Amino acid sequence: MKEFLKNDTISYNLMSFTGYKTLILFSLMTEGPKSYFDVKEYFENQPYVREKFSMDTMRVYMNSFKRAGCQIKRKREDGVSKYWIADNPFKLKLTQEQKKSVIKIYKTLVKNLSAEEIIELDRLLLKLTNYIADEEFVGEYQRASVLKKENLQIVDQLLDCCRGHKQIKVAYNSPYSGVKDIEMVTKRLVYNNNKLYVKASGLEYNQDTDFLVSRIVEIKEVKDQDENIESCKEVTVVYRLQTDGHVPELIQSEKLLEAGKDYAVISITGNNIFYINQRLLEHGAACTVMEPEEFKKTFIEQLKEMREEYDND
Amino acid sequence: MTKELSTKYNDSGIKMFQLLSLLYQGEADFKDVLHIFMDEKVSPNNANVNLCKYLNSLKVFGIRVEKNKDKYHAYNLPYTYNFTKEELESIQKIKNCSKLILSDKAKKRFDKFINALEIRYDSETQQIATELDSDEDLDFSFYFKNLKEKFDEFEQYIEDNQILEVTYTGEGNEEKKVTGKPLDLIFEKRKALIKIYNHRDSKLYDIPLENIRSVFQSPQKSGMPVANTTSVVFKLRGRLAQNYKLRPHEYSKGIDSSGNLIVVNTNEDINSLLHRLMRYGTNCAVCTPVAIKEQMKELLDKTIANYS
């Protein structure tokens, strides 16, 4: 036996020849549909087998596969029957608890990853549903998937466009004006509030906007960024944030200017005042706008207006 | 008349499948493997010889089987899956996340699934996986590494199902206390939070673990179910009313006579909710209950006071 293993020479007395042929046929039939003639030819030319293979023998092997838990399917192609193994006992299986864990992990990760990472993660789970072939798991994945309402082809195209900061024209289903063409210079995909957006400079208003991907009906044109496009006018707002000793979590358009024991001075730059305003409002009493003066004035007026809403109670 | 097909099968084929089934589990016990080749007609010695023959068949086919301390491990099994580098990176993230959010028991069971998945990698995938192993960028546990002990501690509290009294620092380093039933550990935007339900005010509290100063575990078990958390009703105006996407824990009560969208929120930490509503600026106002309206007023007053 040791001799056999060292020399790699084949001695049929020292191996299960039927077991070996079982492996070959299993492998062939999981690859895809094979006719009896395909199998016969393969066995006749296989260096370690080189023997004739009858239809009856093939049937005996297929009966063994079925007994072992394989599902064999047959189709007719040009008058010839072809067989393949559609299911086998070695497919990955998940217990109830493992299914729950996969979904729990998925839901946690989508709250912590970037949009690109979320898309990759979702793809993986979709692939696993094919490998695992468990209807319950497929249902759980479909309920949890953050991309369930997205057109995956459009998501793929947008990902490509964002990587090259391409200028695109899309048919966008606006809630106000219906389907209309919008031109934009793509920046990146973002996942926020359970929705996927493409962050882009909209050419109509010349400012950064988050466009809902699910509202993009079609990408009509993709081209390199037109150099003549006037760049969007940017605003920088500086604010002080009460941090209570924690490290402030900055977004991409923010810079840390100063960090004290329990505060930070941060600048936020963008061409869409609306987003800057939202970001600062969300911090509540922890945030104090420092400059520019004009923005600060509008911000305070807005706060007062919000407060007046409750004065009549 | 339909031709009756043979139902003959070969025993060796079945044995090969039994052997592969054990190897696909990742770790096949020698006794279990040997058992396949034993019956009343076969002596233990012959069973050993037969086992070696089958192992040789696997080897000739290209499957590598290693034996270590009475356990068999197989590589290059015949039915495999192919994953790209990006997919393997996602698997790595899943593995890292499982270390953080699953209890020890659930983690052990989950590891079996990951192991079963990795056994099924084809050779190309195995090669990429080996190269990825040293890629530290994929480990986002970095964000939580200082909190691992706290995760375990709170996992245990949740399992114990006993009332907790948690002292933590809120905004402006103000010390706060909440007493209630610990429900879940949440990981959001790279922050770890414990969700606590307070029966007295029917509110849910999401407290960042890093803000927790002390915890007292009462001997009292929390038998009460979590129900009827405080419902907050707010209205949205303008474009936001048309565009707003309801959260899973929200429902709409329709449009009022002024065209405002009325939303009922039932299951969100009040502090997080109020900060979210702040984002909507003048397009949003809390309607009920009075206590939450007061909280919103207080939040606005404090924010305005920053400029006085």
Side-chain angles (χ1 to χ4, degrees):
Chain A
M1 195 68 72
K2 277 181 187 168
E3 182 94 356
F4 169 88
L5 292 171
K6 268 185 191 170
N7 297 341
D8 268 355
T9 50
I10 305 301
S11 165
Y12 301 129
N13 292 332
L14 295 177
M15 66 185 279
S16 162
F17 198 47
T18 310
Y20 178 64
K21 286 189 283 189
T22 299
L23 288 169
I24 293 175
L25 190 57
F26 172 76
S27 192
L28 283 174
M29 287 177 65
T30 44
E31 268 173 23
K34 298 283 181 300
S35 71
Y36 159 65
F37 302 103
D38 295 333
V39 174
K40 179 174 171 281
E41 192 186 344
Y42 188 90
F43 274 107
E44 281 174 359
N45 295 314
Q46 214 277 349
Y48 300 145
V49 182
R50 291 192 190 283
E51 65 175 28
K52 286 187 177 165
F53 200 75
S54 72
M55 186 60 214
D56 276 346
T57 310
M58 182 158 160
R59 202 165 282 132
V60 169
Y61 274 91
M62 289 199 290
N63 285 339
S64 312
F65 291 168
K66 283 182 197 166
R67 280 184 84 97
C70 296
Q71 188 193 356
I72 294 173
K73 293 208 169 174
R74 186 182 78 148
K75 69 172 180 182
R76 296 277 289 177
E77 224 175 67
D78 301 328
V80 179
S81 290
K82 290 196 171 186
Y83 306 86
W84 76 99
I85 295 174
D87 199 0
N88 70 66
F90 310 130
K91 272 197 170 168
L92 198 58
K93 289 180 186 71
L94 276 171
T95 64
Q96 287 296 338
E97 197 172 43
Q98 287 168 339
K99 277 179 223 172
K100 272 188 198 166
S101 296
V102 173
I103 299 299
K104 185 178 175 180
I105 290 168
Y106 173 81
K107 285 181 176 174
T108 301
L109 282 173
V110 295
K111 289 176 185 167
N112 289 280
L113 298 178
S114 69
E116 269 197 54
E117 289 172 316
I118 292 170
I119 292 164
E120 289 299 346
L121 179 71
D122 201 87
R123 290 264 155 76
L124 171 75
L125 253 71
L126 181 63
K127 192 167 186 174
L128 285 179
T129 57
N130 292 328
Y131 286 160
I132 293 168
D134 175 326
E135 277 181 24
E136 198 181 298
F137 180 62
V138 173
E140 282 180 37
Y141 156 72
Q142 283 169 347
R143 276 189 293 279
S145 170
V146 297
L147 299 183
K148 61 186 160 205
K149 287 183 185 163
E150 306 295 348
N151 178 332
L152 296 178
Q153 210 180 338
I154 287 182
V155 172
D156 273 344
Q157 281 178 284
L158 287 173
L159 264 177
D160 266 353
C161 293
C162 288
R163 282 177 193 134
H165 294 298
K166 297 283 184 190
Q167 185 173 324
I168 60 173
K169 187 199 276 183
V170 301
Y172 192 78
N173 186 11
S174 160
Y176 312 107
S177 41
V179 178
K180 63 172 187 177
D181 287 355
I182 295 182
E183 265 197 275
M184 60 182 88
V185 178
T186 52
K187 291 195 168 174
R188 61 182 183 278
L189 289 181
V190 286
Y191 183 72
N192 211 349
N193 293 334
N194 304 316
K195 287 173 277 187
L196 190 65
Y197 298 91
V198 55
K199 196 174 261 304
S201 300
L203 300 188
E204 191 178 0
Y205 301 109
N206 203 21
Q207 65 176 13
D208 281 359
T209 308
D210 291 346
F211 295 94
L212 255 180
V213 172
S214 59
R215 289 197 174 277
I216 296 176
V217 183
E218 183 195 353
I219 298 177
K220 289 181 154 181
E221 197 182 333
V222 178
K223 57 183 179 186
D224 286 334
Q225 193 177 335
D226 186 348
E227 285 174 7
N228 296 323
I229 293 174
E230 202 181 314
S231 57
C232 308
K233 194 182 167 197
E234 294 201 321
V235 176
T236 297
V237 176
V238 180
Y239 69 100
R240 187 183 197 276
L241 185 71
Q242 194 69 29
T243 57
D244 302 336
H246 301 312
V247 179
E249 208 176 303
L250 304 183
I251 56 172
Q252 213 164 12
S253 52
E254 289 180 325
K255 271 184 198 159
L256 182 68
L257 303 179
E258 187 185 328
K261 195 183 166 197
D262 59 357
Y263 76 94
V265 177
I266 297 161
S267 74
I268 178 166
T269 303
N271 52 45
N272 192 325
I273 295 283
F274 175 75
Y275 292 145
I276 296 178
N277 188 49
Q278 276 204 331
R279 168 77 176 161
L280 303 182
L281 280 173
E282 193 175 16
H283 287 309
C287 162
T288 311
V289 173
M290 296 166 76
E291 57 181 69
E293 207 51 48
E294 199 184 332
F295 179 87
K296 184 176 167 181
K297 203 175 143 193
T298 319
F299 192 75
I300 298 169
E301 276 168 18
Q302 173 188 223
L303 287 170
K304 286 181 178 166
E305 201 183 322
M306 286 165 74
R307 179 63 181 82
E308 277 168 20
E309 173 83 31
Y310 301 96
D311 277 348
N312 300 327
D313 297 337
Chain B
M1 204 172 111
T2 316
K3 189 185 168 189
E4 196 152 315
L5 296 172
S6 164
T7 54
K8 264 172 46 184
Y9 66 95
N10 55 50
D11 194 47
S12 300
I14 303 289
K15 282 189 166 56
M16 183 54 89
F17 269 89
Q18 287 171 334
L19 175 59
L20 284 174
S21 286
L22 287 177
L23 293 171
Y24 268 104
Q25 287 170 17
E27 206 175 62
D29 199 88
F30 173 69
K31 277 183 193 167
D32 296 335
V33 171
L34 194 63
H35 185 73
I36 298 170
F37 304 97
M38 286 173 77
D39 58 40
E40 65 275 8
K41 293 174 199 161
V42 180
S43 69
N45 270 349
N46 283 342
N48 255 312
V49 171
N50 285 339
L51 167 60
C52 287
K53 285 185 172 185
Y54 279 77
L55 291 175
N56 285 339
S57 300
L58 293 177
K59 185 176 187 286
V60 175
F61 185 73
I63 299 168
R64 186 159 60 91
V65 182
E66 285 177 4
K67 192 179 170 195
N68 189 9
K69 292 181 184 169
D70 277 352
K71 305 273 185 199
Y72 286 103
H73 299 264
Y75 305 88
N76 307 327
L77 285 158
Y79 179 73
T80 52
Y81 301 143
N82 181 275
F83 291 105
T84 63
K85 180 175 175 279
E86 289 75 20
E87 287 163 346
L88 285 175
E89 283 173 349
S90 294
I91 292 172
Q92 190 62 42
K93 287 183 186 102
I94 288 175
K95 283 161 75 176
N96 288 333
C97 188
S98 75
K99 284 181 209 160
L100 289 167
I101 70 163
L102 298 183
S103 67
D104 286 348
K105 276 184 204 165
K107 170 84 174 57
K108 268 184 195 165
R109 293 182 193 125
F110 184 74
D111 283 350
K112 283 187 181 170
F113 161 67
I114 291 292
N115 194 21
L117 181 66
E118 288 174 345
I119 286 165
R120 286 161 175 79
Y121 286 176
D122 64 11
S123 53
E124 187 190 3
T125 308
Q126 278 173 24
Q127 179 61 35
I128 305 170
T130 319
E131 288 161 12
L132 271 186
D133 274 348
S134 59
D135 195 341
E136 286 175 8
D137 289 345
L138 303 172
D139 186 1
F140 76 104
S141 63
F142 152 75
Y143 292 92
F144 305 117
K145 68 179 176 190
N146 299 327
L147 297 168
K148 181 63 186 150
E149 276 180 20
K150 276 199 170 157
F151 297 157
D152 297 342
E153 185 188 336
F154 277 91
E155 280 286 358
Q156 192 57 50
Y157 290 145
I158 294 165
E159 202 165 302
D160 292 348
N161 193 27
Q162 279 163 244
I163 299 288
L164 290 188
E165 187 181 286
V166 178
T167 309
Y168 63 102
T169 47
E171 277 170 25
N173 266 334
E174 189 187 344
E175 190 173 290
K176 292 190 169 184
K177 248 182 207 176
V178 64
T179 305
K181 175 183 175 143
L183 298 178
D184 201 4
L185 270 177
I186 310 161
F187 298 85
E188 262 183 35
K189 295 180 180 167
R190 312 210 159 176
K191 267 194 173 174
L193 310 115
I194 176 83
K195 192 180 269 302
I196 291 183
Y197 176 66
N198 184 342
H199 286 288
R200 285 186 197 150
D201 61 9
S202 304
K203 283 183 192 166
L204 287 166
Y205 293 82
D206 292 342
I207 305 168
L209 294 194
E210 58 185 358
N211 288 8
I212 292 175
R213 296 289 163 258
S214 67
V215 179
F216 170 72
Q217 191 179 29
S218 138
Q220 185 194 347
K221 284 254 180 194
S222 171
M224 286 173 74
V226 177
N228 301 324
T229 53
T230 301
S231 293
V232 179
V233 181
F234 59 89
K235 60 181 173 189
L236 300 170
R237 298 188 186 93
R239 293 176 72 139
L240 188 61
Q242 287 176 275
N243 259 345
Y244 188 75
K245 189 185 170 192
L246 294 166
R247 305 291 194 271
H249 46 270
E250 288 177 342
Y251 63 91
S252 166
K253 283 186 89 175
I255 308 281
D256 69 7
S257 55
S258 309
N260 301 319
L261 177 72
I262 308 298
V263 180
V264 183
N265 179 300
T266 53
N267 207 2
E268 192 168 338
D269 169 71
I270 299 296
N271 196 41
S272 311
L273 173 66
L274 293 184
H275 279 82
R276 179 160 71 81
L277 298 187
M278 280 285 281
R279 275 174 70 93
Y280 306 149
T282 51
N283 281 328
C284 171
V286 176
C287 304
T288 60
V290 176
I292 305 298
K293 272 176 99 163
E294 287 303 320
Q295 260 183 268
M296 191 60 167
K297 274 189 208 176
E298 203 183 316
L299 178 58
L300 283 162
D301 285 340
K302 277 187 183 171
T303 314
I304 293 167
N306 287 341
Y307 304 94
S308 54

